[in-house]
Structure formats: C-alpha cells, structure tokens
Amino acid sequence: MRSKVTVFLCCMAIASFVVAQPAKPVLKFGETGRFKIMQVTDIHYSVSEYSASSLEFLREAVNLVRPDLIMLTGDIVVSDETRRGWEDIAGLLTEFKIPWAVVFGNHDSEYELTNRQIIELLSAYPDNLTENGPEHISGNGNYVLPVISSAQPGKTAAVLYCFDSKKQHEWISYDQMDWYRQQSRRFAEQNGGKPLPALAFYHIPVPEYNEVIGKPTTVGVQKETVCCPEYNSGSFVAMYECGDVMGIFVGHDHDNNYIGCRHGICLAYGFKSGRRSYGKIGRGVRVIELCEGERKFTTHLLHLYDCNREEGTWTPLRPAVSLFPVTYPDSFTEK
C-alpha cells in the first residue's frame, strides 16, 4: 500500500511540474500583416565595468524598436562568469515579455558553460524560444521558428531557420544542411508544394559574402575582410536550391554591416551591439520586417551609439539614426 501511495505522490508531483511549465509564445504576424525582428549581435557581454552600459543599450534598443522577436546571433556572453552574464541578459529581456531566441557564436562556449548548458539555463525563461535541436546533427542550436498567419489561425506563413555555425574556421556541416532540406521540404508540402518565405540566422558568414562586395545594389559598411571558413560546404547552394530563404543574417565581423544580394538571397550582417570589443563603425541593431503573404521584407540598421574601445568612448546618438533602408527584392534588382 505504501509503495502505491509513493508512486501516486510521485505521479502527482510530475504532473504538477508539467502543468507549471509556462507555454512558450507563438510567433505570429500582426493585424497589419507585418512581423518585426530585431537582430542583436556580438554583445561580448562580461560582468565588468561595462555591464551597466551594455544592458542599458539593450533596453534602449528594445524600447525603440518594439519588435515581435529579438534574435541574438552569437558572441553574446564572453566571460568567465558565463552563468551570471546570461542571467543578466535573459533577466533584462524577460522584463519586456517579447519572444527572443539565440544562435551561438564562436566565443560563447569558451568559458564557464558549454552551449548545451547555456540552452538548459535559458530554458527557464518563459519568452525564450532557443532549442538545442536534433541530437543526430552537428552543433547546438539548430532549430526552426514558424511564424503563424494573421488571417489563417494555425497556418505557418513564414519560417525562421536557426543554425549553429560552430567554431572559428569551421562551417555549417552536411548533416545540418540535410536536416534543413528536410524541414524546407516539409513546410513546402504543407503549403501546396510552394516554398514558404524564410530567413536564416547564424553567426559566421559564408564565403559568398565576399561576392556581393562592390555590387551596385550592396549598401552598408565594409571595413574588414570577411572572416569566413576557407572551405565552402555548400550551405548557400542548398538554400538556393530549396528556394525558400530570402535572406541570411550573421554577425562575427564587427566592422562590417552591409547587405547585398546574390542569386536572389540577401547576405546581411547585423550591427555590432556591444561595447567592450573591437569595432569603430558604431553600435546598433538591425531591424527586419517580414510581409505576410509575400516574398518580401524590409530592413535597416538603427545606429544608437558611437564607440571606440581603445579611446574609451561611448557616445549616444539622440535621436538614434536609421541607416541603409532596403526592401527585398525591389532594392536588389540590378539595372
């Protein structure tokens, strides 16, 4: 009898734990048919004298943009006190009750926690959408975020693909691309055989970023060599063949923030968002707005601060300045 009571109590405890878990937010186009993403990249946050200004930057950006999703594209916490750093960032984001998600950079796992442990830590935050992804493929943080239609409840209208680009001089692997192709095909089948509009987010640029430099339709700043893998694993070609991804958004290179287009896919950098690492072209975020029912998005940079780490400067722009606005595909039609 005692064993039955014990089993019953254990089951009740498990059931109450499951019930207590908050439901994750659903990404959905607004009534106007728009879905706004704020890309934050390369914060390089550490528990230091710069902590307060880095958090204030993030708070200011979210209040100005008021996005539907905050996407952090790697090298977010770079500190021996990794847990404390992520708790600072996640705690701040939780205040806004806005969904947010993370893909990892090459530095995130170099300190106290592995990427898997970071994902486990972030799982406690109700608006966090980061997932570890399939166990059988390379990396941590390969997952899909569907964006639901405003007009047809339950119908996926757009897709956000998130990838782990792993360490410096590594690349997106073949098994990650096989997984992506399966997901892309599944969403197309659900859409009557037509690829859904999609964006991709990861940290390290692919070699094709070199091929849009100097094109007449490319806009933004290019102040450093593209730091990409020497080996081209074909991830760009896979997205071209699937026909769903309209734009790829990365970080990694702090003095690049340009966007260009090749074979119908935009190759874009975010705007470096942290204070304590190199980069002299300013600090800000990239804003991306999807248009429901169309293969179309708009994007621009929001410049919030001028910064020079070596000189110790951190100067706010009042008001913040919108830079390099473009619309896909119209802005990239070459004449």
Side-chain angles (χ1 to χ4, degrees):
M1 182 64 179
R2 180 176 296 176
S3 62
K4 291 182 179 179
V5 171
T6 302
V7 171
F8 173 76
L9 292 175
C10 289
C11 291
M12 290 297 292
I14 293 171
S16 63
F17 175 79
V18 172
V19 171
Q21 295 301 298
K24 292 296 183 181
V26 175
L27 303 181
K28 184 178 178 181
F29 280 96
E31 294 180 357
T32 61
R34 297 292 185 266
F35 183 83
K36 187 188 296 184
I37 303 165
M38 185 178 86
Q39 181 191 4
V40 179
T41 196
D42 294 86
I43 297 177
H44 283 249
Y45 183 86
S46 71
V47 182
S48 68
E49 70 273 18
Y50 294 140
S51 298
S53 55
S54 296
L55 294 174
E56 182 56 33
F57 167 92
L58 189 53
R59 179 179 287 107
E60 183 178 345
V62 176
N63 282 327
L64 282 171
V65 177
R66 301 307 300 180
D68 300 303
L69 172 68
I70 303 165
M71 177 61 70
L72 294 86
T73 53
D75 286 359
I76 303 304
V77 176
V78 181
S79 171
D80 290 331
E81 298 181 74
T82 310
R83 180 177 297 275
R84 164 89 179 276
W86 277 108
E87 288 172 347
D88 288 349
I89 297 287
L92 173 64
L93 294 177
T94 299
E95 295 176 12
F96 296 102
K97 296 181 170 56
I98 294 173
W100 54 277
V102 178
V103 293
F104 291 117
N106 51 299
H107 291 306
D108 287 299
S109 63
E110 291 180 345
Y111 298 89
E112 181 185 16
L113 302 176
T114 65
N115 286 343
R116 182 184 292 274
Q117 289 172 326
I118 294 169
I119 292 172
E120 291 171 354
L121 172 65
L122 299 182
S123 66
Y125 293 89
D127 298 308
N128 164 55
L129 297 176
T130 311
E131 300 176 15
N132 187 71
E135 297 288 345
H136 65 279
I137 67 174
S138 304
N140 303 100
N142 302 291
Y143 57 100
V144 183
L145 297 176
V147 184
I148 304 303
S149 168
S150 63
Q152 303 178 61
K155 176 178 172 54
T156 299
V159 182
L160 310 178
Y161 293 106
C162 302
F163 297 94
D164 182 3
S165 55
K166 303 190 287 294
K167 295 291 187 181
Q168 188 81 10
H169 307 304
E170 293 186 317
W171 48 82
I172 296 179
S173 304
Y174 297 136
D175 58 1
Q176 291 171 280
M177 282 298 100
D178 288 342
W179 167 79
Y180 155 71
R181 287 187 179 94
Q182 293 169 8
Q183 303 304 310
S184 177
R185 186 163 52 247
R186 177 171 64 88
F187 282 112
E189 290 170 354
Q190 295 172 1
N191 193 44
K194 184 179 180 181
L196 282 174
L199 303 177
F201 294 90
Y202 43 94
H203 182 70
I204 297 177
V206 291
E208 283 81 2
Y209 271 72
N210 286 294
E211 298 175 18
V212 299
I213 296 172
K215 293 185 70 173
T217 56
T218 296
V219 298
V221 176
Q222 189 257 322
K223 293 285 188 180
E224 65 176 302
T225 302
V226 175
C227 190
C228 61
E230 293 183 9
Y231 177 71
N232 192 329
S233 65
S235 57
F236 179 88
V237 173
M239 293 178 185
Y240 172 74
E241 290 176 341
C242 288
D244 54 353
V245 172
M246 302 179 291
I248 299 169
F249 298 85
V250 303
H252 195 50
D253 299 342
H254 301 179
D255 274 333
N256 292 336
N257 64 21
Y258 63 84
I259 179 172
C261 196
R262 175 171 170 76
H263 296 313
I265 299 177
C266 277
L267 298 164
Y269 282 99
F271 202 166
K272 178 171 165 42
S273 307
R275 179 176 179 179
R276 63 180 291 271
S277 57
Y278 84 89
K280 298 180 181 179
I281 64 173
R283 302 293 187 264
V285 296
R286 180 174 285 281
V287 181
I288 310 151
E289 198 160 10
L290 286 165
C291 303
E292 184 176 1
E294 302 179 74
R295 289 190 57 79
K296 178 180 178 180
F297 66 85
T298 63
T299 184
H300 66 274
L301 301 175
L302 190 63
H303 187 178
L304 288 96
Y305 282 80
D306 281 328
C307 175
N308 187 315
R309 180 185 64 179
E310 286 70 29
E311 297 176 3
T313 57
W314 181 249
T315 308
L317 276 67
R318 298 289 188 269
V321 179
S322 176
L323 300 173
F324 310 119
V326 292
T327 299
Y328 173 90
D330 297 349
S331 298
F332 301 99
T333 301
E334 297 187 30
K335 299 178 182 178

